[in-house]
């Protein structure tokens, strides 16, 4: 059993792949073996999470998730715990394995009650599991409400009940811990899944080599890259940031600052405001230039940060000439509204020239011709569709940021937290991606490394210090993708 931490990559499997793995695994094992292993794993984790608990309430549903709960209750009772099962189901309609586990629990004198106990120390949510994408209703909803109101730990079996395994959608119970069984599911790590699942644990039930290809991956840390002594500023590439229309210069300067602190050899801030100053006293290492006076064919360009309508004039040349390109914010909005700009963007994939889009859900919806809510309903699908339409690497920002690219399994990023919900942090990410693109030919790898690093900075941020975009931009360390001293 493993606690899921961001120190390594993990394969993720959607419902269809998980079902196929379950069927293939069960065919090589004795009857009921997987459910018995699952129940034992749940009981072991329950004991570890609440070793001094006297009463453990196991709320069991009408399917195999409930069967896992019956098995866990049997073990907990044998270990001296007051294991109380509440069960909502029809015994005649129980799946075969779950029915066998119910009979085993009864034979072990597990208490099975129609109503929740008045007091408990730990609750186990074994109500709805994989494939049960319906909302909690009736008795199950009442039990979920009691768990939420109890202010005591809740361990969800496989998935928090009501959570959609593939998307992170639904209206799930909010658990403090989730034990994912046999496979890790994408919905635990994006959209509402991260809030619903709490701390995620994984047990492969002894099936070490799943018979299916991963649907996606939970990203691990980027490879370490140490600068050699025999190098110079030209060794680390040039970045140009094109944006900062009148009244929005801060966005472009944030992106440029992040690129500079991210390790780019030279950074040019190309502000679109004609009245912009020619020097930034806060960052004297930045060079302020006109975008149309630079040789963009030798640069990684971040375009759109605070660009307003003014960025439309720059986009045709930027799209046609930039060696590597990050498109953010107003650049994405302009492209969404202009078929000619979309054609220029698609042409970059043919040449090919590394290109990364960094939309938030509303910007992604504009590019796809749908709403932000539709994007959020299936973030992996929306990311794949953008990749298919535009041929670029896509970074769909949000909880569980998705990094998707042509011919690659998508990544879900495990780092980052709600402290990044602050103006300007997206501009910092765009500049950080550009600094990676300045030295990396692989747009997917550059985007994944920057996203992981950006989130890791927020995770390591001191609790007593406000996370602002300007402080975040200056906290980036270029050497190994880890935070610099604050």
């Amino acid at each position: 059993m493993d606690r899921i931490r961001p120190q390594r990559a993990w394969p993720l499997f959607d419902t269809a792949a998980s079902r196929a793995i379950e069927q293939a695994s069960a065919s090589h094992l004795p009857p009921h073996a997987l459910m018995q292993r699952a129940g034992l794993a749940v009981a072991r984790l329950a004991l570890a999470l609440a070793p001094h608990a006297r009463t453990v309430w196991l709320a069991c549903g009408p399917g195999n998730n409930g069967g896992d709960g019956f098995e866990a209750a049997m073990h907990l009772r044998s270990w001296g715990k007051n294991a109380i099962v509440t069960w909502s189901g029809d015994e005649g309609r129980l799946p075969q394995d779950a029915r066998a586990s119910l009979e085993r629990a009864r034979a072990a004198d597990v208490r099975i009650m129609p109503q929740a106990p008045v007091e408990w120390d730990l609750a186990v949510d074994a109500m709805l599991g994989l494939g049960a994408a319906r909302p909690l209703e009736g008795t199950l909803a009442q039990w979920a409400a009691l768990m939420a109101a109890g202010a005591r730990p809740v361990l969800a079996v496989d998935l928090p009940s009501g959570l959609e395994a593939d998307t992170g959608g639904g209206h799930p119970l909010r658990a403090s811990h989730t034990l994912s069984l046999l496979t890790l599911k994408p919905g635990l790590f994006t959209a509402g899944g991260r809030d619903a699942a709490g701390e995620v644990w994984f047990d492969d039930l002894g099936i070490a080599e799943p018979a299916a290809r991963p649907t996606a991956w939970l990203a691990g840390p980027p490879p370490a890259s140490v600068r050699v002594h025999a190098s110079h500023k030209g060794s680390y590439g040039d970045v140009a940031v094109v944006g900062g229309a009148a009244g929005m210069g801060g966005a472009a300067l944030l992106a440029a600052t992040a690129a500079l602190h991210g390790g780019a050899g030279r950074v040019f801030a190309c502000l679109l405001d004609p009245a912009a100053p020619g020097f930034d006293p806060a960052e004297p290492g930045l060079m302020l230039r006109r975008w149309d006076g630079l040789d963009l064919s030798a640069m990684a360009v971040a375009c759109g940060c605070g660009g307003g309508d003014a960025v439309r004039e720059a986009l045709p040349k930027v799209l046609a000439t930039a060696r590597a390109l990050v498109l953010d914010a107003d650049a994405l909005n302009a492209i969404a509204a202009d078929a000619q700009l979309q054609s220029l963007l698609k042409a970059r994939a043919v040449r090919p020239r590394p290109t990364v889009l960094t939309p938030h859900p509303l910007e992604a919806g504009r590019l796809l011709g749908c709403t932000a809510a539709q994007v959020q309903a299936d973030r992996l699908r929306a990311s794949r569709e953008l990749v298919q339409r535009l041929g670029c690497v896509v970074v769909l920002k949000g909880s569980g940021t998705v990094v998707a690219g042509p011919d690659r399994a998508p990544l879900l990023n495990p780092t980052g937290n709600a402290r990044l919900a602050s103006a300007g942090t997206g501009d910092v990410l765009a500049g950080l991606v550009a600094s990676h693109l300045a030295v990396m030919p692989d747009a997917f790898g550059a985007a994944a490394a920057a996203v992981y690093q950006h989130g890791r900075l927020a995770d390591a941020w001191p609790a007593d210090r406000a996370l602002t975009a300007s402080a975040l931009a200056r906290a980036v360390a270029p050497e190994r993708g880890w935070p610099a001293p604050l």
Side-chain angles (χ1 to χ4, degrees), residues 57-395:
W57 168 31
L58 300 100
C60 295
N64 282 331
N65 201 244
D68 297 338
F70 299 147
E71 289 284 337
M74 183 180 61
H75 290 292
L76 288 167
R77 187 183 186 285
S78 72
W79 298 338
K81 300 299 180 182
N82 181 25
I84 298 176
V85 167
T86 56
W87 175 46
S88 172
D90 179 349
E91 188 168 349
R93 300 177 64 181
L94 268 177
Q96 183 178 357
D97 282 356
R99 188 182 304 117
S101 293
L102 175 60
E103 292 170 357
R104 281 162 52 84
R106 283 175 173 159
D109 292 327
V110 170
R111 295 173 64 193
I112 300 177
M113 301 171 55
Q115 296 179 339
V118 175
E119 295 292 337
W120 70 91
D121 303 302
L122 170 71
V124 175
D125 164 25
M127 293 184 287
L128 299 179
L130 185 67
R134 64 184 185 274
L136 291 162
E137 297 176 339
T139 301
L140 298 185
Q142 293 173 13
W143 292 347
L146 286 173
M147 290 182 187
R152 281 157 283 188
V154 176
L155 170 60
V157 178
D158 206 28
L159 293 161
S161 289
L163 181 72
E164 296 177 3
D166 298 349
T167 67
H171 300 282
L173 176 149
R174 193 162 180 168
S176 55
H177 300 79
T178 297
L179 175 58
S180 195
L181 298 165
L182 193 61
T183 63
L184 284 168
K185 290 76 179 176
L188 293 168
F189 303 103
T190 195
R194 296 180 76 197
D195 289 316
E199 188 175 89
V200 178
W201 298 75
F202 173 60
D203 196 303
D204 64 11
L205 304 184
I207 309 301
E209 296 183 6
R213 296 182 62 182
T215 304
W217 285 83
L218 189 66
S225 58
V226 179
R227 294 188 172 206
V228 299
H229 293 291
S231 61
H232 52 83
K233 65 183 178 231
S235 305
Y236 303 104
D238 291 346
V239 170
V241 176
V242 180
M248 296 184 286
L253 291 174
L254 283 170
T257 300
L260 183 67
H261 287 264
R266 295 188 300 176
V267 179
F268 300 87
C270 307
L271 302 184
L272 299 173
D273 181 0
F279 173 70
D280 179 8
E283 286 293 344
L286 296 178
M287 292 173 279
L288 276 70
R289 299 283 193 277
R290 286 182 54 88
W291 68 270
D292 52 4
L294 297 175
D295 179 11
L296 302 182
S297 66
M299 296 182 173
V301 179
C303 182
C305 304
D309 290 336
V311 79
R312 295 175 185 270
E313 180 183 347
L315 271 171
K317 182 177 178 181
V318 169
L319 287 164
T321 61
R323 179 191 64 77
L325 181 58
V326 183
L327 293 166
D328 186 48
D330 292 317
L332 296 174
N333 294 331
I335 290 169
D338 191 320
Q340 183 178 2
L341 292 177
Q342 292 171 30
S343 296
L344 288 172
L345 176 58
K346 294 174 185 177
R348 291 186 60 84
V350 177
R351 283 177 234 183
R353 292 189 176 178
T355 309
V356 179
L357 313 184
T358 57
H360 57 54
L362 180 58
E363 292 159 351
R366 289 172 181 148
L367 289 166
L368 291 170
C370 66
T371 65
Q374 288 171 312
V375 170
Q376 288 293 84
D378 194 336
R379 290 167 52 79
L380 280 167
R381 179 202 56 78
S383 302
R384 291 191 188 100
E385 189 172 345
L386 280 172
V387 170
Q388 185 177 10
R389 287 192 187 187
L390 302 173
C392 307
V393 170
V394 172
V395 173

